[in-house]
Amino acid sequence: MKSFISTPIFYVNAEPHIGHAYSLILADTITRVRNLCGAEKTLLVTGTDEHGQKIMQASLSRKMTPKELCDQQSGHFHRLANIVTHNNVFDFIRTTEPRHKESVLHFWGSHKGWYCTEDEAFYTNVKEVTIDNERVMVSEETGRRVHMIEEPNYRFRLPKYLPAIFDWIKSSQAPLEPAVYTSEILHTIESLENEDLSVSRCKSRVPWGIEVPGDPDQTIYVWLDALINYLTVSGYPNEERLHWPPTHVIGKDISKFHCIYWPAFLLSAGLSLPKKIIIHSHWTMNGRKMSKSDGNVINPFNVIDAFGVDALRYFLLKEGYLRRDSDIDISANSISATYKSDLMSYYGNMFSRIFKTPFVEEFPALIEPITENDKELYEEIERWLLDAYNECKFSQGVLIIMEMLAKVNTYFTDMKPWELKQEKKISHLNRVMYMTFESFRIISLLFQPLIPNAASKVLDHMGILDRKLTPENLRIGYDYRNSNVKSLKENLFPKK
Ligand code: ME8
């Protein structure tokens, strides 16, 4: 059974911006890391959140029906998702789809249970006893009689689930990543005590939603509706097609919904809690959160048109992080500067320098015995993998790769392979070329989850077939005898 990672489903009342692209790129990168490192296949899911008052108002102001607005905007998000993930999206869910309605209605109906009228409460622990010669069910807790009833729940008894969620957040499973969110969420849980959650809305006010079963005057609360999307994509309420529970990637603005409400809903339905909830910071422009109403947004499609998908991914993963104490400021200039300094002049240029060497196709001819000295260049790899990838610290990873690139650059310049060739110092030249190839192979393997397109171009070019991020593949010693190395004609990252 395949497991999955989700992004939030995006509201369709605005155009996609860099923040949405970041959630997608981050979730995609984590999916790729899991697939490259592990044996288990992980899939990426995303989609759009289409019900509620906000969407209705947006459609009115654009003189469209809600359905027309949703179809149009969802299309934009779907296109963005496919582009920034290089078509890695397994499922794109829309909350207006019939499969989702089925899932929400089933979930809502699942509140049926043993109800005690005297206590005005549902009980899960019940037993059968004989009262007045009649076999009846009673609550184990109070001994009072209970009946199986199924009724719409307009108020969700959130407090009942808070202690269990409190323990889960604090548990050794440490579901929140980064862990700094743990204490904040625990505080929020404490402040919520004894507050029920209203889970339906008056239909006269919010008609654009899923109707409460048996009550034509109410629609289901849009956040409950939206969160259930994760179950819908897993196949619920029918046969499980993706393994439950998933990992969720979210922005910090919606942590309360995902770290408290969602687990409570799941517990109420007897379902397992998320594997992990990965929370990222916000992108700001001139210090303010990007938002369409303020007009301070960067359109990801424009960045992609100008610099390509990998440039956008690289920038966001290098500059972005999961810390909660600060947001990240972005400007069009900073994207362009990073493209030029890191991708074009560094990775791209060094690749050209090496692979445009006239005699490159003769190499790497030999696998020289590897010395301890050679291995030293790569001693960071292990640390990089364990710390950076596993903790989603991609910016730290980028810095280490850049350090490695700098070392290879210096090595290649100092060794002057073109002179070794002229002087016919073939054994030395072999060694230099082999080490350079190996550096590029390892660097490009590590770049795969971040800039998949560029990395696979390099690896194709070098004839590398085994691309898994295993410790063996990340060590020097690749056997190139069956690879067909080609010399390079065009640039990896064109001049801008
Ligand atoms: O909240 N910086 O949708 P949404 C970084 N539909 N990330 C940002 C961002 C920014 N400036 N702005 C948005 C919703 N995001 C609900 C979610 S899930 C069941 C329902 C990212 O379109 C961030 O991950 O307002 C945020 O959580 C997500 O986009 C969705 O924003």
Side-chain angles (χ1 to χ4, degrees):
M1 180 77 68
K2 288 159 179 158
S3 50
F4 69 106
I5 296 185
S6 68
T7 72
I9 49 169
F10 306 107
Y11 283 132
V12 289
N13 62 329
E15 310 299 322
H17 61 62
I18 286 281
H20 305 124
Y22 181 56
S23 294
L24 283 161
I25 290 170
L26 184 63
D28 177 58
T29 305
I30 298 165
T31 306
R32 286 174 189 272
V33 166
R34 289 206 187 162
N35 286 328
L36 285 163
C37 292
E40 196 192 47
K41 178 86 182 145
T42 302
L43 298 168
L44 173 69
V45 302
T46 183
T48 40
D49 189 353
E50 305 187 6
H51 287 134
Q53 206 172 13
K54 201 147 76 167
I55 312 298
M56 251 177 57
Q57 279 168 354
S59 72
L60 280 176
S61 70
R62 294 183 194 208
K63 302 201 167 43
M64 296 167 102
T65 63
K67 173 85 172 80
E68 283 166 351
L69 176 79
C70 292
D71 288 350
Q72 182 197 67
Q73 294 299 107
S74 181
H76 295 324
F77 280 99
H78 200 163
R79 194 159 67 87
L80 178 75
N82 281 334
I83 294 176
V84 298
T85 68
H86 293 293
N87 292 316
N88 198 27
V89 173
F90 171 72
D91 196 353
F92 187 95
I93 179 166
R94 300 181 55 184
T95 55
T96 49
E97 284 176 71
R99 62 167 171 160
H100 180 64
K101 186 172 174 189
E102 184 195 356
S103 167
V104 172
L105 293 182
H106 186 87
F107 192 92
W108 183 277
S110 70
H111 292 297
K112 108 176 162 186
W114 296 105
Y115 193 72
C116 173
T117 322
E118 285 165 89
D119 297 343
E120 292 280 21
F122 280 99
Y123 289 106
T124 41
N125 297 329
V126 293
K127 61 181 176 193
E128 200 176 3
V129 294
T130 306
I131 299 177
D132 298 336
N133 292 331
E134 196 191 343
R135 297 293 289 168
V136 295
M137 301 300 287
V138 296
S139 152
E140 281 185 6
E141 207 174 313
T142 62
R144 293 206 183 98
R145 190 149 175 196
V146 293
H147 302 271
M148 176 56 79
I149 66 154
E150 188 170 358
E151 63 163 31
N153 255 0
Y154 299 97
R155 297 192 75 77
F156 178 77
R157 304 183 67 221
L158 184 62
K160 177 174 167 193
Y161 302 99
L162 293 178
I165 297 168
F166 194 91
D167 291 345
W168 171 67
I169 302 265
K170 264 194 357 189
S171 70
S172 57
Q173 196 189 333
L176 308 191
E177 178 104 34
V180 286
Y181 281 96
T182 302
S183 56
E184 182 181 307
I185 295 294
L186 293 178
H187 275 125
T188 312
I189 293 178
E190 280 165 348
S191 73
L192 282 176
E193 255 166 326
N194 294 322
E195 272 179 42
D196 277 1
L197 195 66
S198 165
V199 286
S200 68
R201 296 290 183 269
C202 219
K203 195 165 177 186
S204 60
R205 195 167 59 82
V206 191
W208 184 240
I210 298 175
E211 197 176 280
V212 168
D215 189 342
D217 296 333
Q218 298 272 316
T219 47
I220 292 173
Y221 175 41
V222 67
W223 264 103
L224 174 58
D225 171 348
L227 288 161
I228 293 172
N229 93 83
Y230 304 128
L231 279 169
T232 310
V233 292
S234 82
Y236 181 90
N238 304 310
E239 202 180 316
E240 200 175 86
R241 64 174 189 146
L242 293 177
H243 182 67
W244 191 264
T247 291
H248 302 304
V249 169
I250 58 165
K252 66 179 182 179
D253 51 332
I254 51 175
S255 57
K256 182 172 86 175
F257 297 98
H258 282 80
C259 306
I260 303 175
Y261 293 178
W262 181 224
F265 295 147
L266 288 171
L267 286 175
S268 78
L271 294 162
S272 346
L273 300 183
K275 211 189 268 177
K276 278 245 175 283
I277 302 176
I278 297 171
I279 307 168
H280 66 73
S281 296
H282 287 154
W283 293 90
T284 56
M285 273 185 89
N286 305 317
R288 285 181 315 162
K289 181 171 182 247
M290 251 184 230
S291 105
K292 191 160 177 274
S293 45
D294 290 352
N296 62 338
V297 291
I298 291 186
N299 180 332
F301 293 113
N302 294 346
V303 177
I304 292 164
D305 285 346
F307 300 105
V309 173
D310 278 355
L312 175 65
R313 293 178 63 105
Y314 181 85
F315 178 84
L316 294 178
L317 293 166
K318 182 185 178 194
E319 301 296 323
Y321 40 73
L322 303 181
R323 275 167 40 199
R324 75 177 241 292
D325 49 339
S326 64
D327 291 326
I328 322 140
D329 215 55
I330 184 172
S331 70
N333 285 345
S334 53
I335 300 175
S336 158
T338 302
Y339 175 81
K340 288 183 183 146
S341 65
D342 291 22
L343 293 178
M344 208 180 85
S345 316
Y346 233 86
Y347 187 44
N349 189 43
M350 282 176 57
F351 184 63
S352 297
R353 237 187 112 194
I354 294 159
F355 287 84
K356 283 184 179 168
T357 305
F359 50 85
V360 72
E361 287 184 11
E362 296 163 29
F363 291 94
L366 277 183
I367 308 166
E368 297 276 313
I370 307 301
T371 64
E372 281 309 307
N373 206 14
D374 296 334
K375 283 187 196 152
E376 246 172 50
L377 193 59
Y378 297 93
E379 65 193 8
E380 293 100 330
I381 301 288
E382 215 76 44
R383 195 184 76 213
W384 195 84
L385 263 181
L386 291 177
D387 295 356
Y389 269 1
N390 289 338
E391 292 172 28
C392 310
K393 290 181 180 158
F394 299 111
S395 53
Q396 190 178 312
V398 165
L399 293 181
I400 298 171
I401 294 188
M402 281 294 149
E403 247 174 61
M404 288 169 63
L405 271 170
K407 281 191 192 177
V408 190
N409 192 29
T410 314
Y411 176 79
F412 198 71
T413 309
D414 291 352
M415 293 298 158
K416 300 188 177 59
W418 50 94
E419 283 182 12
L420 296 174
K421 174 82 177 167
Q422 264 182 351
E423 293 160 12
K424 298 206 165 36
K425 292 183 175 158
I426 296 305
S427 154
H428 193 180
L429 176 60
N430 268 340
R431 175 164 219 91
V432 171
M433 292 307 281
Y434 185 76
M435 288 303 290
T436 307
F437 265 65
E438 278 298 78
S439 312
F440 250 85
R441 182 182 65 83
I442 293 170
I443 285 166
S444 303
L445 286 178
L446 289 169
F447 257 151
Q448 289 179 99
L450 316 184
I451 46 172
N453 205 22
S456 78
K457 266 194 202 162
V458 175
L459 293 167
D460 284 348
H461 196 80
M462 296 177 71
I464 309 293
L465 298 177
D466 190 352
R467 300 180 182 187
K468 281 264 180 189
L469 292 181
T470 58
E472 301 76 58
N473 282 349
L474 295 172
R475 267 177 224 136
I476 292 200
Y478 192 80
D479 183 346
Y480 285 89
R481 273 171 299 190
N482 294 324
S483 357
N484 182 14
V485 177
K486 295 184 223 70
S487 76
L488 181 73
K489 306 224 161 45
E490 84 272 20
N491 289 330
L492 193 58
F493 294 100
K495 273 211 165 61
K496 297 285 173 190

